[in-house]
Amino acid sequence: MTGNDQSDALDWRDGVPVSLRFDDPYFSLNNGLAETGHVFHAGNGLPGRLRDGFHIVELGFGTGLNLLATAQLWAGPGLLRFTSFEAFPMDAVDMAKSLAHFPDVAAFADPLLEQWAKGARVIHLPGIHAEIIIGDARETLPQWRGRADAWFLDGFSPAKNPELWSSELMAEVARHTAPGGTFATYAAAGHVRRSLQDAGFVVERRPGHGHKRHMTAGYLPQ
């Protein structure tokens, strides 16, 4: 997402937050938690690859659902690192309303919401150290000095938020990926796959979640 540190304007459809800026829901209308598991966890070979120090990086923090689902997935021992890039941070009230859909992760949602409401952008959850970097990812990612073992590419639809899927940004994603690192995304648009291939990833089209026929996943050769 692009822009300054300001909340996104929302609509609510069947209780699901929808960005008015991008006319796109923040999570799947067909069970967002299951989509996280199918796309981002299974797509990156998790939990089998998780270990102490494993670093997950995300484009599009949104409601924080992917972070919470990952906290639920991680049994330890050790500490995961989770970094997310977000341009339009959701306010705590809207985040709480959104996450109320997912009682299975309430044990992690409560401490996230408590910290988020106080303005924290470094979040501590059991077994996870998370940092949410606010700002235009086209500016913040090139300046970032970390590397991902796994990427969650979870911006709004490429058709509605093309800035977050540009070939230039996908090249930065590859540059900030450890050798053998992976990515997964619900997006299956041909130009997204080509941009990731051009960036150096081995790219696969896989079955999507719910009504989505396809998703995309891949890895950076060692």
Side-chain angles (χ1 to χ4, degrees), residues 43-44 153 170 173-174 177-185 192-206 215-222:
N44 279 291
L153 302 181
M170 295 303 99
V173 167
T177 302
T182 60
F183 78 88
T185 176
V192 172
R193 296 199 308 274
R194 288 190 294 272
S195 292
L196 288 160
Q197 287 173 332
D198 290 345
F201 287 102
V202 175
V203 176
E204 300 178 358
R205 189 171 67 174
R206 299 183 184 177
M215 57 169 278
T216 308
Y219 65 94
L220 192 68
Q222 299 190 30

Side-chain angles (χ1 to χ4, degrees), residues 121-186:
R121 297 300 180 256
V122 174
I123 304 295
H124 300 281
L125 298 176
I128 295 189
H129 174 91
E131 180 181 9
I132 294 80
I133 298 173
I134 306 301
D136 187 331
R138 295 173 297 177
E139 299 172 359
T140 55
L141 179 54
Q143 299 173 23
W144 186 59
R145 301 183 69 176
R147 290 202 301 179
D149 295 301
W151 279 93
F152 297 175
L153 302 181
D154 195 25
F156 290 116
S157 164
K160 298 176 179 180
N161 184 204
E163 298 90 346
L164 207 63
W165 303 92
S166 68
S167 57
E168 293 80 9
L169 194 56
M170 295 303 99
E172 288 295 331
V173 167
R175 190 169 73 86
H176 291 86
T177 302
T182 60
F183 78 88
T185 176
Y186 67 87

